[in-house]
Amino acid sequence: MLDMNRIPAHVAIIMDGNGRWAEKRNLPRVAGHNAGMKSMTEIVRRASDLGIKYLTVYAFSTENWKRSKEEVGGIFKLLVKYVDLELAELCENNVKVRIFGDYEGMGDDVRDRLERTLSDTGEDSGLEFNICLDYGSRDEITKGVRAIAEEVEAGKLSSADITEDTISEHLYTGMTGVPDPDLIIRTSGEIRLSNFLLWQCAYSEMVFTPVLWPDYTPEEFEKSIEEFQSRDRRFGGRK
Ligand code: IPE
Ligand code: IPE
Ligand code: MG
């Protein structure tokens, strides 16, 4: 049973397994990504209903550009469609949507459409939903380090004053007031982080499930949270 008094504040998800889901059905990979978008919609709703404050999903990595043009284009099209279709409803549910990542390379059309719809999303009193798009943790850290170096060069910051908080504040999460994730979930049975939130995961609990992302239902999501609730978080200290 879920303990509603111990719902994690920030859940992050590596939504993996769309391609294998499609292959199993002899469908094109894009069909798997389409099914994955539907899963994402349901999980966002359940996260909001459970009172989770922050949900961050990994939708497209800086390394995913290695895939075929067809697959990459298909993923972007689906994302724009999802954001357009679902956004009105998300706003009504008081969900604030933002993108983490430098989606410059996704082309003017995709960028403009995303920006137009995102500018309509409301203020954050409910769930804050972060979509990592063209996101890589090393890229995020590199950009943060560069920005800190520029502040030092400009005389706005002394190198002696750089703390862990300075670094956190220069990442997408810290810049937008999003705390480190309490729980990171990865679907599809892979046991790795694939360049996701490497700084922020220092004390996150990890849950790996063999379920492929398109098969990951809100019930599975609750099971992952139950597993999180069974963990003993010590943060290096002692009971
Ligand atoms: C996750 O599913 C979605 C993205 C990485 C964009 P995959 O497309 O990686 O699916 P598998 O891992 O090949 O099954
Ligand atoms: C991680 O999945 C990225 C996303 C889910 C967006 P990948 O499928 O790209 O990761 P690897 O290649 O299995 O590590
Ligand atoms: Mg994958």
Side-chain angles (χ1 to χ4, degrees), residues 53-106:
K53 182 65 190 153
Y54 308 93
L55 178 71
T56 302
V57 299
Y58 204 5
F60 191 85
S61 78
T62 46
E63 287 75 42
N64 288 147
W65 290 104
K66 293 175 187 163
R67 300 186 182 197
S68 74
K69 242 187 167 167
E70 191 194 356
E71 182 174 356
V72 170
I75 294 171
F76 292 171
K77 243 200 221 136
L78 283 166
L79 271 163
V80 171
K81 190 175 121 193
Y82 166 82
V83 171
D84 272 353
L85 269 179
E86 303 290 332
L87 212 85
E89 199 208 316
L90 288 177
C91 290
E92 272 171 33
N93 285 318
N94 217 3
V95 175
K96 183 183 175 65
V97 187
R98 52 168 96 80
I99 308 277
F100 288 166
D102 172 9
Y103 48 107
E104 241 351 76
M106 296 178 66

Side-chain angles (χ1 to χ4, degrees), residues 1-5 7 50 221-223 225-226 229:
M1 271 285 280
L2 260 192
D3 178 350
M4 293 307 289
N5 294 316
I7 294 293
L50 289 172
F221 184 47
E222 291 197 1
K223 273 197 232 162
I225 297 172
E226 270 179 51
Q229 291 180 338

Side-chain angles (χ1 to χ4, degrees), residues 165-221:
D165 285 343
T166 315
I167 295 173
S168 293
E169 283 158 14
H170 285 79
L171 304 178
Y172 293 114
T173 39
M175 272 190 270
T176 49
V178 176
D180 291 344
D182 299 290
L183 166 62
I184 297 180
I185 299 166
R186 183 173 188 147
T187 59
S188 90
E190 309 297 349
I191 320 278
R192 56 174 169 265
L193 290 174
S194 302
N195 204 10
F196 188 50
L197 303 176
L198 302 181
W199 172 272
Q200 297 91 332
C201 75
Y203 271 101
S204 304
E205 295 300 325
M206 313 271 176
V207 170
F208 298 96
T209 163
V211 178
L212 301 174
W213 177 249
D215 292 327
Y216 192 73
T217 57
E219 290 67 41
E220 291 289 342
F221 184 47

Side-chain angles (χ1 to χ4, degrees), residues 16-17 20 67:
D16 197 15
R20 278 163 281 171
R67 300 186 182 197

